[in-house]
Amino acid sequence: MPEPMTVAALHAHAKALSEDEFRERFGDAFFMRGGGSASLRKPRVFQETSKGDASPALRAAEHGASPNPLKRRAGADVMEFTIYFLRPNDPKGRRVTVGRTGNNDVVIADSSVSKFHAVITRDAAGGVQVKDASSTTGTRINDELIPADEYRTLKGGEEVAFGEVHLTFLGVTSLHNFLKRVIPPPNPVSQ
């Protein structure tokens, strides 16, 4: 399973690969996390907006505002956002674990995240579900605390919080289209 990558690192893959090739390489479900303290510059993205294929969080990011819940960091650089791949480390695995320690599929190194915080699975229809694993700080979807050991189906663009870490859930179509529209920073001119 690939390690988390920044939008900047994934941009070239999205430009070079079809959506199906991108899905094959990286999966079809992702979490996006804002750029943290790395940069507060306005994102460099195309001015044109998508019509219905991107979540409100992605549309906000495209126009210089950070996606909810990162509104306190208005103007955070989209190129520094981190993408987490929701794929199990074990190819035969049926679930993705989320937690603070390295034995999880999605590792979020933050003290508010439990060592083993949550589980992500697929329902019978292929939808992505999350379940809190009786974590200390809880799991929230759109600010609603979900009871421990109860699965909730995620929809594209929803905010998922593990402890104090806020992420946006994305499907492959939204992420692939978003990455193709992002304009990377210019390469420095060498003299």
Side-chain angles (χ1 to χ4, degrees):
M1 182 175 87
E3 293 290 318
M5 297 174 76
T6 64
V7 165
L10 278 172
H11 171 74
H13 293 289
K15 289 291 226 182
L17 301 172
S18 70
E19 183 178 320
D20 288 337
E21 292 167 327
F22 189 87
R23 176 185 289 111
E24 181 68 29
R25 181 176 281 180
F26 297 109
D28 64 353
F30 310 89
F31 282 134
M32 181 172 70
R33 183 177 184 185
S37 60
S39 174
L40 296 176
R41 295 170 296 170
K42 186 176 179 180
R44 296 174 180 92
V45 295
F46 289 112
Q47 294 302 311
E48 58 189 282
T49 61
S50 63
K51 297 205 171 31
D53 65 335
S55 72
L58 293 180
R59 287 192 296 275
E62 290 176 343
H63 289 87
S66 294
N68 191 19
L70 305 168
K71 51 190 162 195
R72 292 181 299 276
R73 299 181 189 157
D77 188 348
V78 171
M79 298 306 284
E80 297 298 322
F81 284 18
T82 301
I83 306 298
Y84 294 90
F85 305 94
L86 302 184
R87 297 174 84 167
N89 284 329
D90 174 6
K92 295 180 182 177
R94 303 252 180 215
R95 67 185 200 152
V96 173
T97 60
V98 177
R100 187 177 70 234
T101 59
N103 60 330
N104 289 287
D105 300 305
V106 175
V107 177
I108 303 172
D110 186 279
S111 62
S112 70
V113 176
S114 294
K115 290 178 183 177
F116 173 52
H117 198 101
V119 174
I120 298 168
T121 62
R122 298 286 181 151
D123 61 21
V128 176
Q129 299 179 311
V130 65
K131 173 179 82 164
D132 185 82
S134 299
S135 67
T136 305
T137 55
T139 300
R140 291 178 164 67
I141 300 174
N142 297 327
D143 289 326
E144 179 188 336
L145 183 66
I146 61 172
D149 297 323
E150 182 178 306
Y151 282 103
R152 293 284 177 92
T153 300
L154 297 174
K155 297 179 191 106
E158 285 189 310
E159 174 190 318
V160 181
F162 300 109
E164 296 176 19
V165 176
H166 297 262
L167 308 167
T168 302
F169 173 71
L170 301 170
V172 69
T173 300
S174 292
L175 179 62
H176 188 256
N177 288 338
F178 172 72
L179 290 169
K180 288 191 319 186
R181 288 191 304 270
V182 172
I183 300 173
N187 292 329
V189 178
S190 52
Q191 299 193 12

